[in-house]
Structure formats: C-alpha cells, structure tokens
Amino acid sequence: MLLSLVSIAVVAGAVFYSAVREHSELYSRYVESDLNALSDNMANDLIAVLNEPNYFFDLKRYLLSLEPYPNVIGAAVYDPEWNVLEIYAGAALLNQSEFEEVEFSYWDTRQPGMYRQDDHLIAVKRIGEPTLVFGYLVIINDLNGPIRDSRTTLALRILPVALAVMLVLMGLFYFQASRWLWPLTRLSQFARQVQETKDYSLQIRESGKYEVSSLTRDINNMMDAIRLESEINQEYVELLEQRREEMEYLANYDSLTRLVNRQCFMTLLERSIAEIKPQQGDLTVMFVDLDGFKVVNDTLGHEVGDKLLAEVAVRLKKFVPTEDVVSRHGGDEFLVLSHEAPMDMPLLAEQIVKGLSEIFVINNWEIRIGASVGIARASESGYDMHDLIRNADVAMYNAKSMGKSRYSFFNPEMLEGYQRRIDIANAIDQALSHDEFILYYQPKVTSEGQVIGAEALIRWQSHTLGFVSPGEFIPIAEQAGKITAITEWVIEQVCKDVQEYFSKLPQKVPVSVNLSSYDLKKFYFPDFIKSTFDKYEIPTELLEFEVTEHSYLDNLDLANSFFRDIALLGCRVALDDFGTGYSSLSYLTKIPIDVIKIDKQFVDDIGASARDDALVLTIIEMARKLGMDLCAEGVETKSQRDFLAVHGCRVMQGYYFARPMTLEKFREYMATQAA
Ligand code: C2E
Ligand code: CA
Ligand code: CA
C-alpha cells in the first residue's frame, strides 16, 4: 500500500512538473510575441519622432513610455551607424552605464530580430525601411522574472487542486485496498483476540472468496485442534496438580491416622524452635506411646490395630488445642508439639493418659489400652530439636518403667538410664568380637531329679559395663537389630558344647536355645541352623528351640513355615512363657509345638489360692489333651515341685533343682547326679 501511495505521489509530481514546464514554454513564447509587437510599434512610432528636427527631447520622453512595463530592463535607440542616440534604463536597471556594459550577441551581426540571451529576451528593430534606415531600437526584456512569477502563480493555483486530487486518490486507494485486505485484517484481528483472551473455543465466521475462505476454514480447524489439545492439556495439568497434592499429602501426612508424619513434624518443630529461641521462649514436646498396643495387634489382627491407631489419633486431636501439632511418630508412638504454658501441661497430659485408657470399640471389640507420656521442654533441651525429642522419649520410657499409663516430666537424671541403653547397644558388637558372652546351662529335670535337658542362657561380663543381665540387654539388642547376631553366636556355641560334651553323655540331654521373634523374620535362619549342625556334625535331636507367643503372633504364617523347617531338621520347639501373652488359645491347635513351658508367674502362685491352683491344673490338662509335653519354669520350692508332680507335670526347671551354671559346673552337677 505504501508503494502504491508513493507511486501516486511520484506520478502526480511528474504531471505537475511537466505542466509547469509546458506553461513556462508557452508563457515565454507569449512574452516574446508581446515584446515583438511592442518593439514593432515603437520602431514605427520612432520614425516620426526621429524625423523631428529637435527629436532628443521627444526621444527621451518617448522612451519613458516604457515605464509601465516592469519587465523591460532597458532600451536604446541608435542612429543608422549604431551610435547611441538615447538609452532608457528600466526599473530592473539602475543606470545607463549598466545597460552599456551588457554584451549582446546580436552586436556582431547587428541584424534586426528577436534574440534570447541568458535570462534576457532582446528585440532588435530597424527604424524605417531597409532602403531608408533612420536608426535602430533595442529593447531588453527580463525573461526569467515574469516566468518565475507566472510559474508561482500557476503553482499556487494548481497545487491545492493537485494535492486535493492526490489525497482523494490516496483515500480512495486506501479505502479500496482496505476493502480488499479486509478478510485478512479480520483474520489478523481474530488471531490477536485469541492471543489476548487465550480462549481457544473462539471461531471466526467464514467469509471471503477462494483462498481467503479456505484460509479461514483452515484457521477454524486449527482452532478446533488447539482447543482439543488444550482441553487434554488442561486435564493433564489438573491430574498433575492432583498428583502433586497427593504426593505432598503423602510426604507430610500419615495415611493411616491423617496426622502429620514424623518428617513434617520435625520441620514444624524446627521452625517453632527457631521462632522462640531468640526470645528464650518455650514450647513442649510430648512423647505418647501406647501401652498394650502390640497385644491388640497380635491378637485381634492388623486391621483392628490400624483402626485403633486411627481412633487414638482422633482422641488425641480432641484433647490437644488446635494450634498445637499432633503427629504420628511411627508404630504406636505419637508426638505432640504444644505451646501451652508449662503449668497447663500436667492437665493436658492427664487428659491424654485418662482419655486413651478409656475403652475403644472397634469391630465390636471392646479394647482397653493405655498410654505412657513423656514431656520435655525446649528450654531444658538447649533448643535442640533432636535432644528435645530424645528427652521426651526418655521421659516416656521413665513413665513406662514406673508402671505405664502415666506421664512423666523429663529430668536430666533420666538420661543416665537412656545413656545406659545406648552404651549397652554400642557394647554388644564388641562383646561379640571379644568373646564377652558365655553360656550358662540350667538343667531341666523330672520330678525325681533326673536331668532330661538343659536350657542355654546367655551371660555377659562386659569389659566396660560389668555384668549385664540378659533381661536387660536382650530387649535392647532386639531394638538395636543386633539380636540375630547374638542368637547366631549362641547356636554356634551350643553346637560346640553339644559336640564336645552333651553328645557324649550316656543319656539324651537336649539343649534348648532361646529364639527371639526377630530371628524368625530372617529368611536365611533355618539354613544357618542347618549348616551349623552340619559343621559340628551333631545329632539334631539334641537341640531344641524356645520361642515366646509373640514370635508366633507377630506373623503366624512366617512362624509356621519357620518351625516346619525346624521340625524337618528334627528339632523340637517349646512355647516359652506360656500364659503371659494374653493370647487366645485357639492358635495352639494351628502351630507345630512340642512343649509348653508354664511361666514362672503361675508356678509362683501355686498354693496362694484355689483359683491359682486351678489355673495351673487347667494348663496341665490342656497340654495333655493337645498331646503336648510340659515343662514348669521357676520351681523354687518343694511344695511347688510336689504340686506339679502330683498333678502330672513331669518336667521342671528352677532354682529348687539347680541354677543356671557354667558348662564346667554342669559337668560336676551331672557327675554328682550320676553318683
Ligand atoms: P527365659 O527364657 O524365661 O529363661 C528363664 C529365666 O528364668 C532365666 O533368666 C533363668 O535364670 C530364670 N530362672 C530359672 N529358674 C528360676 C527360678 O527358680 N527362680 C527365678 N527367679 N528365676 C529362675 P535369665 O537367664 O536371666 O534370662 C532371662 C531371659 O532372658 C530369658 O527368659 C530369656 O527370655 C532371655 N534370654 C536368656 N538367654 C537368652 C538367649 O541366649 N537368647 C535369647 N534370645 N534370650 C535369652
Ligand atoms: Ca527360655
Ligand atoms: Ca521362660
């Protein structure tokens, strides 16, 4: 469009230029003929003037008649011999001498005629006839001035019209061009609209012909494709967003209880501590650990256990102010971050302990558990998040050891016990590598005193910690994941002792090894036992294993497959501490158990009341009916022995007969027995 407009302007300019040129040409010709006529007339008139006797004065006056002609520069009259008679200097000339300075081209020929020289038009006329010459007349006319003037006049007259025409033309052209381009302009506007609104559902009405309409159609199709694509995209984005939220939820929340998880709790705690630390403010962390949860999980199953945890979470949230944070720390442990004033904490802890000890009803089971709560303050823990949680944990542990279902505030003395647990856990590795463990054997005897077995019981004389009882370090080893290494050591040692001693005894004295429930979870364990037997080439029936009910109830299938492997090896299995696991008895029919060991607590109660006695009798009766052997643990008195013997429990173990002893002592013991 610009190119066209420029072209129009150029053409218009060219037309204007040539018009002006043409005009100049015409005008100069007109001026020439005008001058010709004027000079002819004057030459005629001058015949009469020159014929006067005293013509000088008349001549001067006559030449002055040129005054009205502004373009006449000057004029001169000569005699026939070309001597100047009179000179007239016109408006354009200042004086006569200037006129004389002008060099004229006709001067050489001195012929009458019209001449053009530079910007001048010169008329040279003869005065009189060729045969009778009176003189000559020369008139010099300015040619440029008049042409310029006339050109200006013309331009002033033409230019507005030309400009107007050009503008109209341009307008028309622009209008027409816009009309032609309108379909494209529409498309461009449409594209801009889409760009601005981001609305891909827009469509443009089809119009125009041929290419334009097909372009419009194509654009509409493209819009459809984009809309479809962006809809898919939108769905995808929503899905991603949903996923991200889910991930965030998973990362920060516990899916079972819908409480914040440990990681999120740590972040919140860290932030809160950073906030209060500069002003030496305070906050509290409560460590809540359920009492008896494991039993529920073991006896009623994981589904009930899970629901119970969720219910516990609901109750906890009810007691704790909304601005405080309740989180599941793992397993049956919960953490509460509280901003309550220290003096309000006992009340809150009380509420939690009491609230969680009330009955839960889950799947129609009425379940009673409890909670032990440890409380620690940030200011007492050096504003260190990890120390703070540890202190709450230590206080909780203290509450547990004080008898559970209670709360306990942290105090630094408690760290000693905690430290001891850590020391014990750390010292176990060294104990294994430095042979600090030894095995004691406690005889299992018949009521008549005949030794028919022995239980291997571990002892630890630590170089750093002194004597540590198995009751103390075994649970710690279990928690620290070191129990299996210990069990492996025990089995190896027992096999050595059996090979060296027990297998050489005249009568059969099998040795029992205590297994932890953690050992049963090690899939390689049966293979380990078998390869150790092979290594020491001992008869497998000289080994027995004792497991507690927990080992079973943790995972019945796993335990069953484990004990089937053990049975295949030819070893017997005893159920240790029978009666302490709060278990339902029905599982007894489902597991491959050879011996039931009546727990010491039942034996202790023999003779205390008729009901206690009845309980022992029931266990004896039950074992007989199930075809299982019996062994009573912890027999300390003659009356206990007698009661058990009379009622058919043949095998016993206890201080009344013998304490656990070194292998050396055991040899001596066996020797005296034989004697
Ligand atoms: P347990 O398996 O029930 O072992 C019997 C415990 O009762 C032994 O305690 C034994 O010394 C003690 N005892 C036996 N007769 C009497 C008695 O007449 N009166 C009293 N008051 N106690 C008696 P110990 O050796 O201190 O072991 C405690 C527990 O540590 C064991 O209970 C067992 O659960 C565990 N344990 C001991 N040695 C090992 C081991 O080698 N491996 C594993 N996994 N656990 C072991
Ligand atoms: Ca045992
Ligand atoms: Ca026992």
PDB file of all heavy atoms in Angstrom, residues 16 20 150-160:
ATOM      1  N   PHE A  16       2.703  17.405 -12.491  1.00  0.00           N
ATOM      2  CA  PHE A  16       2.785  18.798 -12.066  1.00  0.00           C
ATOM      3  C   PHE A  16       4.004  19.479 -12.681  1.00  0.00           C
ATOM      4  O   PHE A  16       3.926  20.562 -13.247  1.00  0.00           O
ATOM      5  CB  PHE A  16       2.834  18.831 -10.537  1.00  0.00           C
ATOM      6  CG  PHE A  16       2.983  20.208  -9.981  1.00  0.00           C
ATOM      7  CD1 PHE A  16       1.924  21.112 -10.075  1.00  0.00           C
ATOM      8  CD2 PHE A  16       4.162  20.612  -9.364  1.00  0.00           C
ATOM      9  CE1 PHE A  16       2.072  22.384  -9.570  1.00  0.00           C
ATOM     10  CE2 PHE A  16       4.294  21.886  -8.863  1.00  0.00           C
ATOM     11  CZ  PHE A  16       3.245  22.770  -8.957  1.00  0.00           C
ATOM     12  N   VAL A  20       4.043  22.561 -15.388  1.00  0.00           N
ATOM     13  CA  VAL A  20       4.698  23.835 -15.135  1.00  0.00           C
ATOM     14  C   VAL A  20       5.678  24.161 -16.254  1.00  0.00           C
ATOM     15  O   VAL A  20       5.760  25.292 -16.741  1.00  0.00           O
ATOM     16  CB  VAL A  20       5.404  23.808 -13.759  1.00  0.00           C
ATOM     17  CG1 VAL A  20       6.326  25.004 -13.603  1.00  0.00           C
ATOM     18  CG2 VAL A  20       4.371  23.799 -12.643  1.00  0.00           C
ATOM     19  N   SER A 150       4.970  33.906 -13.085  1.00  0.00           N
ATOM     20  CA  SER A 150       3.812  33.218 -13.642  1.00  0.00           C
ATOM     21  C   SER A 150       3.769  31.776 -13.159  1.00  0.00           C
ATOM     22  O   SER A 150       2.705  31.222 -12.885  1.00  0.00           O
ATOM     23  CB  SER A 150       3.894  33.298 -15.163  1.00  0.00           C
ATOM     24  OG  SER A 150       3.563  32.096 -15.745  1.00  0.00           O
ATOM     25  N   ARG A 151       5.001  31.190 -13.051  1.00  0.00           N
ATOM     26  CA  ARG A 151       5.066  29.797 -12.581  1.00  0.00           C
ATOM     27  C   ARG A 151       4.513  29.709 -11.150  1.00  0.00           C
ATOM     28  O   ARG A 151       3.744  28.822 -10.803  1.00  0.00           O
ATOM     29  CB  ARG A 151       6.516  29.325 -12.604  1.00  0.00           C
ATOM     30  CG  ARG A 151       6.657  27.897 -13.096  1.00  0.00           C
ATOM     31  CD  ARG A 151       8.074  27.441 -12.869  1.00  0.00           C
ATOM     32  NE  ARG A 151       8.961  27.800 -13.964  1.00  0.00           N
ATOM     33  CZ  ARG A 151      10.265  28.089 -13.834  1.00  0.00           C
ATOM     34  NH1 ARG A 151      10.805  28.135 -12.641  1.00  0.00           N
ATOM     35  NH2 ARG A 151      11.001  28.366 -14.884  1.00  0.00           N
ATOM     36  N   THR A 152       4.931  30.682 -10.327  1.00  0.00           N
ATOM     37  CA  THR A 152       4.467  30.694  -8.942  1.00  0.00           C
ATOM     38  C   THR A 152       2.958  30.809  -8.895  1.00  0.00           C
ATOM     39  O   THR A 152       2.279  30.074  -8.162  1.00  0.00           O
ATOM     40  CB  THR A 152       5.091  31.887  -8.188  1.00  0.00           C
ATOM     41  OG1 THR A 152       6.477  31.920  -8.480  1.00  0.00           O
ATOM     42  CG2 THR A 152       4.895  31.747  -6.693  1.00  0.00           C
ATOM     43  N   THR A 153       2.463  31.743  -9.687  1.00  0.00           N
ATOM     44  CA  THR A 153       1.013  31.923  -9.722  1.00  0.00           C
ATOM     45  C   THR A 153       0.346  30.613 -10.104  1.00  0.00           C
ATOM     46  O   THR A 153      -0.622  30.167  -9.469  1.00  0.00           O
ATOM     47  CB  THR A 153       0.632  33.002 -10.763  1.00  0.00           C
ATOM     48  OG1 THR A 153       1.589  34.041 -10.688  1.00  0.00           O
ATOM     49  CG2 THR A 153      -0.764  33.527 -10.510  1.00  0.00           C
ATOM     50  N   LEU A 154       0.928  30.011 -11.157  1.00  0.00           N
ATOM     51  CA  LEU A 154       0.341  28.754 -11.622  1.00  0.00           C
ATOM     52  C   LEU A 154       0.373  27.700 -10.525  1.00  0.00           C
ATOM     53  O   LEU A 154      -0.631  27.030 -10.220  1.00  0.00           O
ATOM     54  CB  LEU A 154       1.123  28.259 -12.836  1.00  0.00           C
ATOM     55  CG  LEU A 154       0.631  26.915 -13.390  1.00  0.00           C
ATOM     56  CD1 LEU A 154      -0.614  27.128 -14.247  1.00  0.00           C
ATOM     57  CD2 LEU A 154       1.713  26.229 -14.195  1.00  0.00           C
ATOM     58  N   ALA A 155       1.572  27.604  -9.923  1.00  0.00           N
ATOM     59  CA  ALA A 155       1.735  26.575  -8.888  1.00  0.00           C
ATOM     60  C   ALA A 155       0.739  26.797  -7.767  1.00  0.00           C
ATOM     61  O   ALA A 155       0.074  25.860  -7.318  1.00  0.00           O
ATOM     62  CB  ALA A 155       3.152  26.609  -8.343  1.00  0.00           C
ATOM     63  N   LEU A 156       0.620  28.076  -7.366  1.00  0.00           N
ATOM     64  CA  LEU A 156      -0.301  28.373  -6.268  1.00  0.00           C
ATOM     65  C   LEU A 156      -1.717  27.988  -6.634  1.00  0.00           C
ATOM     66  O   LEU A 156      -2.509  27.583  -5.796  1.00  0.00           O
ATOM     67  CB  LEU A 156      -0.235  29.864  -5.906  1.00  0.00           C
ATOM     68  CG  LEU A 156       1.006  30.238  -5.086  1.00  0.00           C
ATOM     69  CD1 LEU A 156       1.042  31.740  -4.820  1.00  0.00           C
ATOM     70  CD2 LEU A 156       1.001  29.471  -3.757  1.00  0.00           C
ATOM     71  N   ARG A 157      -2.011  28.107  -7.918  1.00  0.00           N
ATOM     72  CA  ARG A 157      -3.365  27.796  -8.335  1.00  0.00           C
ATOM     73  C   ARG A 157      -3.554  26.275  -8.476  1.00  0.00           C
ATOM     74  O   ARG A 157      -4.565  25.713  -8.084  1.00  0.00           O
ATOM     75  CB  ARG A 157      -3.662  28.508  -9.663  1.00  0.00           C
ATOM     76  CG  ARG A 157      -5.099  29.021  -9.698  1.00  0.00           C
ATOM     77  CD  ARG A 157      -5.359  29.861 -10.936  1.00  0.00           C
ATOM     78  NE  ARG A 157      -4.574  31.071 -10.993  1.00  0.00           N
ATOM     79  CZ  ARG A 157      -4.057  31.565 -12.130  1.00  0.00           C
ATOM     80  NH1 ARG A 157      -4.186  30.927 -13.263  1.00  0.00           N
ATOM     81  NH2 ARG A 157      -3.390  32.698 -12.112  1.00  0.00           N
ATOM     82  N   ILE A 158      -2.511  25.626  -8.987  1.00  0.00           N
ATOM     83  CA  ILE A 158      -2.669  24.192  -9.302  1.00  0.00           C
ATOM     84  C   ILE A 158      -2.464  23.297  -8.081  1.00  0.00           C
ATOM     85  O   ILE A 158      -3.187  22.333  -7.860  1.00  0.00           O
ATOM     86  CB  ILE A 158      -1.662  23.771 -10.396  1.00  0.00           C
ATOM     87  CG1 ILE A 158      -2.104  24.331 -11.733  1.00  0.00           C
ATOM     88  CG2 ILE A 158      -1.560  22.252 -10.490  1.00  0.00           C
ATOM     89  CD1 ILE A 158      -1.194  23.943 -12.870  1.00  0.00           C
ATOM     90  N   LEU A 159      -1.449  23.697  -7.281  1.00  0.00           N
ATOM     91  CA  LEU A 159      -1.010  22.782  -6.217  1.00  0.00           C
ATOM     92  C   LEU A 159      -2.140  22.318  -5.287  1.00  0.00           C
ATOM     93  O   LEU A 159      -2.279  21.110  -5.057  1.00  0.00           O
ATOM     94  CB  LEU A 159       0.108  23.445  -5.413  1.00  0.00           C
ATOM     95  CG  LEU A 159       1.143  22.456  -4.865  1.00  0.00           C
ATOM     96  CD1 LEU A 159       1.728  21.607  -5.994  1.00  0.00           C
ATOM     97  CD2 LEU A 159       2.236  23.209  -4.128  1.00  0.00           C
ATOM     98  N   PRO A 160      -2.961  23.256  -4.775  1.00  0.00           N
ATOM     99  CA  PRO A 160      -4.027  22.769  -3.886  1.00  0.00           C
ATOM    100  C   PRO A 160      -4.933  21.753  -4.577  1.00  0.00           C
ATOM    101  O   PRO A 160      -5.264  20.714  -4.005  1.00  0.00           O
ATOM    102  CB  PRO A 160      -4.812  24.030  -3.552  1.00  0.00           C
ATOM    103  CG  PRO A 160      -3.891  25.150  -3.831  1.00  0.00           C
ATOM    104  CD  PRO A 160      -2.981  24.709  -4.940  1.00  0.00           C
TER     105      PRO A 160
END
